[in-house]
Amino acid sequence: MRAVISAELGAAAKLAEVPTPSAGPGEVRVKVAASSLNGFDAAVISGYLAALIEHRFPVVLGRDFAGAVDQLGEGVDGFAVGDAVFGVVLTFPLQAGGFGEYVVVPAASLARVPDGLDLTTAGALGLAGAAAATVVGAIAPQPGETVLIAGATGGVGSIAVQLAAARGAVVLATAEPGEGTQLVRRLGAHYVVDRTGDVIGQVAAIAPGGVKAAVHLAGDPFALAELIAPGGRFTTLLGIGQDQMGVHDVVALPVNADLAPAGLEHLAAEVVAGRLEVPVRRVYDLEEVPQAFTDFAAGSVGKLAVRVG
């Protein structure tokens, strides 16, 4: 099958032919229609994850996937060939990925694509949507509370802005002037903090004494903690907990994205209902994925989707 791979540690993304996988016991093979680029993929090609996760090269890149069930492994029930599904590839060692024509995943990890959700959107929702729901759930913003989202123009941040605003929070979103600012305002940010300017001064003008909670998705997490009111809440996907906060008087809540199918299906239902948007900025064909990595590294806004089949 055709796939976009990293051939060795630190190798750039490239299109190649690799063996087509088959579903084993408890697994399902999906004919992939769409995927999307995430920060995890950039970390793989940089070699950053080598000390944390075993790699088995060539590694097929892409964590997200959406498509149709193509093959059922032994013992799988509840799914039929042709079912529309989506999710996130979590199998280890790191080798399988969504930037290929087929992917094999555990049946228990699959979410169903609801009627009314196109596969391109489903293929861009999984990891970013789950991560956004997890970080917003961790800080649990109450109506009227000020919440700062650092890194608001990326895939996770753009969804987190919407989820926090839907809870009634007053959302401060960091963005650059121009397209990024326009995006976060459209998605529900009440205030935009120009991340290229005096961030501390801007936040102080909006929330004297500090914000009630902050979501760290970009930038210096410890600098961000200084913008939170004493006793306020801080969360990140980078594993920074209470011990690392040191002198900062905040409640640190490190989290990992909750990728359970029920949560993914809830997010998909919110998209269908029009209460949540997956802001896909551009769709790349499989052979264009190397360019997608370049665009991602340059600081793209929103989600970069991939059309596989």
Side-chain angles (χ1 to χ4, degrees):
M1 68 175 186
R2 295 195 312 154
V4 174
I5 66 165
S6 178
E8 58 187 13
L9 188 62
K14 69 175 184 179
L15 186 64
E17 290 282 339
V18 299
T20 301
S22 296
E27 295 178 330
V28 168
R29 187 172 70 186
V30 176
K31 181 173 174 53
V32 181
S35 182
S36 74
L37 189 60
N38 290 286
F40 187 99
D41 303 303
V44 172
I45 65 168
S46 72
Y48 175 77
L49 297 176
L52 304 174
I53 302 171
E54 181 186 351
H55 293 44
R56 186 171 295 163
F57 294 100
V59 171
V60 178
L61 299 166
R63 295 300 91 197
D64 290 322
F65 68 89
V69 172
D70 170 77
Q71 185 184 69
L72 302 174
E74 182 182 350
V76 173
D77 54 23
F79 290 97
V81 171
D83 286 349
V85 294
F86 75 110
V88 180
V89 185
L90 287 176
T91 49
F92 298 104
L94 194 63
Q95 184 176 42
F99 292 169
E101 293 176 314
Y102 297 90
V103 66
V104 169
V105 295
S109 70
L110 284 175
R112 295 184 181 276
V113 177
D115 292 341
L117 183 65
D118 65 275
L119 291 179
T120 297
T121 302
L125 174 61
L127 186 53
T134 302
V135 294
V136 173
I139 60 168
Q142 299 302 304
E145 286 191 323
T146 50
V147 174
L148 175 62
I149 298 178
T153 59
V156 179
S158 58
I159 296 176
V161 166
Q162 298 173 72
L163 297 178
R167 287 176 173 243
V170 177
V171 178
L172 290 67
T174 67
E176 291 189 6
E179 184 183 9
T181 291
Q182 294 169 8
L183 174 67
V184 296
R185 284 197 181 280
R186 180 170 62 78
L187 295 179
H190 300 81
Y191 299 94
V192 179
V193 176
D194 180 358
R195 73 176 190 86
T196 67
D198 177 11
V199 173
I200 293 177
Q202 293 172 76
V203 173
I206 299 164
V211 297
K212 294 296 185 181
V215 173
H216 169 258
L217 300 169
D220 182 348
F222 302 105
L224 185 65
E226 296 179 2
L227 305 177
I228 305 172
R233 307 177 305 279
F234 165 90
T235 192
T236 179
L237 295 163
L238 296 184
I240 299 170
Q242 205 69 50
D243 291 344
Q244 292 95 325
M245 279 291 104
V247 299
H248 299 293
D249 181 16
V250 301
V251 178
L253 303 160
V255 294
N256 293 310
D258 182 355
L259 301 167
L264 295 178
E265 289 173 357
H266 173 74
L267 290 167
E270 291 293 287
V271 176
V272 172
R275 292 186 289 267
L276 184 66
E277 177 185 341
V278 182
V280 173
R281 174 67 179 82
R282 179 177 168 183
V283 181
Y284 299 79
D285 290 327
L286 203 56
E287 58 269 21
E288 297 175 314
V289 169
Q291 179 61 47
F293 275 91
T294 299
D295 295 343
F296 185 88
S300 59
V301 170
K303 288 290 295 179
L304 302 183
V306 176
R307 182 187 299 110
V308 179

